[in-house]
Amino acid sequence: MIDSHCHLDNPQFDPDRAAVIDRALSAGIERMVVIGTGEGPPDLEAGIRLADAHEPIYATVGVHPHDASKATPETYKHLRELLKHPKVIALGEIGLDYHYDHSPREAQREVFLEQMLIAGEARKPIVIHTREAWEDTIALLEVYWRPYGLGGIMHCFSGSPEQAKLCLDLGFHLSFGGIITFPKSSAVQEAARQAPANRILIETDAPYLAPVPHRGKRNEPAFITDTARKLAEIRGVTPEEIARATKENYLQLVTGT
Ligand SMILES: [Zn+2]
Ligand SMILES: [Zn+2]
């Protein structure tokens, strides 16, 4: 299995990071993608540092919408260079977060757009984070991302079947996380049921959003097995089938084959 989105650089893993990685490998997680947004610019290498140190770890680079106000022309120049690293599979997580508004919305939109242009130039997929900013996110993707035909990942997809259709139409894969195991998540469960088998991914977003029965605790990649089991139940297939399909889809997305 592949955890397509986790934050193993998070200080919550400082006491036992090696043990967390070992538990993931024992649980059958072959690869973990560490999202490289870290504490924000000027440090863009939070994911790369772990990818360089651990064979099963791959990375992204990018400026999270929370950190948009920290981005400078130097940031973009550096991102272009880091995207050439052999273990960097995508640019992300990028997008808009109007829930926390840690950066002004105007800055979030500008940094999102700028990074789409960088990813498009580098021919790399993007990883999208969107919260309470659905319409602006889709509108910007439509204009600035669709023309590249590169697709990407809707990380921790938590929308409705209608919203899922819009993302699929834009060429995105839907990555399902712990939220699908929560009660009262019937809309996203329905989206997970209907999604085409060749466009689904799974992720933990560890240390956040632990699936049931670990809800409320620190999440870690090994817990992805609970999300896979739930996704299998929703779709009426075996967990092995979910593991196989999501791995294949991930590899197809990052290698373009
Ligand atoms: Zn996110
Ligand atoms: Zn994340």
Side-chain angles (χ1 to χ4, degrees), residues 5-7 35 37 64 93 127 129 155-156 203 205-206 208:
H5 190 117
C6 59
H7 297 269
I35 301 302
T37 48
H64 195 284
E93 56 188 290
V127 179
H129 169 106
H155 128 69
C156 207
E203 66 171 70
D205 203 18
Y208 315 109

Side-chain angles (χ1 to χ4, degrees), residues 180-203:
I180 63 163
T181 69
F182 299 172
K184 297 183 189 159
S185 61
S186 52
V188 59
Q189 287 177 357
E190 183 54 26
R193 192 182 68 76
Q194 294 180 14
N198 64 349
R199 303 289 286 282
I200 55 171
L201 298 172
I202 46 174
E203 66 171 70

Side-chain angles (χ1 to χ4, degrees), residues 95-99 105 108 129-139:
L96 304 171
D97 193 315
Y98 295 171
H99 176 76
R105 294 181 181 183
Q108 292 190 39
H129 169 106
T130 179
R131 189 156 179 202
E132 291 173 29
W134 179 258
E135 282 174 19
D136 282 3
T137 302
I138 294 296

Side-chain angles (χ1 to χ4, degrees), residues 6-198:
C6 59
H7 297 269
L8 289 184
D9 62 302
N10 191 285
Q12 289 192 46
F13 294 113
D14 285 351
D16 62 343
R17 189 168 286 109
V20 167
I21 294 169
D22 278 346
R23 279 199 292 277
L25 297 175
S26 307
I29 322 302
E30 301 156 62
R31 189 183 286 200
M32 290 152 262
V33 179
V34 172
I35 301 302
T37 48
E39 299 289 303
D43 181 21
L44 300 167
E45 295 174 63
I48 289 177
R49 279 192 290 276
L50 284 171
D52 281 342
H54 302 274
E55 200 268 334
I57 292 183
Y58 284 67
T60 68
V61 291
V63 180
H64 195 284
H66 291 342
D67 302 312
S69 54
K70 300 184 200 165
T72 65
E74 194 53 42
T75 308
Y76 301 132
K77 200 175 145 218
H78 199 189
L79 278 178
R80 284 194 185 89
E81 280 158 27
L82 294 176
L83 274 173
K84 295 177 192 152
H85 187 287
K87 290 182 94 176
V88 169
I89 58 108
L91 195 153
E93 56 188 290
I94 62 174
L96 304 171
D97 193 315
Y98 295 171
H99 176 76
Y100 287 110
D101 281 327
H102 286 327
S103 285
R105 294 181 181 183
E106 191 54 46
Q108 292 190 39
R109 288 189 287 266
E110 190 192 314
V111 172
F112 181 25
L113 191 160
E114 206 60 60
Q115 292 184 100
M116 283 193 269
L117 302 180
I118 291 168
E121 237 172 70
R123 308 294 302 165
K124 290 277 187 189
I126 52 178
V127 179
I128 296 295
H129 169 106
T130 179
R131 189 156 179 202
E132 291 173 29
W134 179 258
E135 282 174 19
D136 282 3
T137 302
I138 294 296
L140 287 171
L141 288 172
E142 189 63 61
V143 175
Y144 296 99
W145 189 245
R146 186 193 283 280
Y148 290 115
L150 291 167
I153 300 174
M154 296 303 292
H155 128 69
C156 207
F157 181 79
S158 50
S160 65
E162 292 70 32
Q163 291 174 325
K165 278 198 194 86
L166 286 173
C167 298
L168 292 165
D169 180 62
L170 279 162
F172 280 86
H173 286 60
L174 306 176
S175 184
F176 295 100
I179 290 176
I180 63 163
T181 69
F182 299 172
K184 297 183 189 159
S185 61
S186 52
V188 59
Q189 287 177 357
E190 183 54 26
R193 192 182 68 76
Q194 294 180 14
N198 64 349

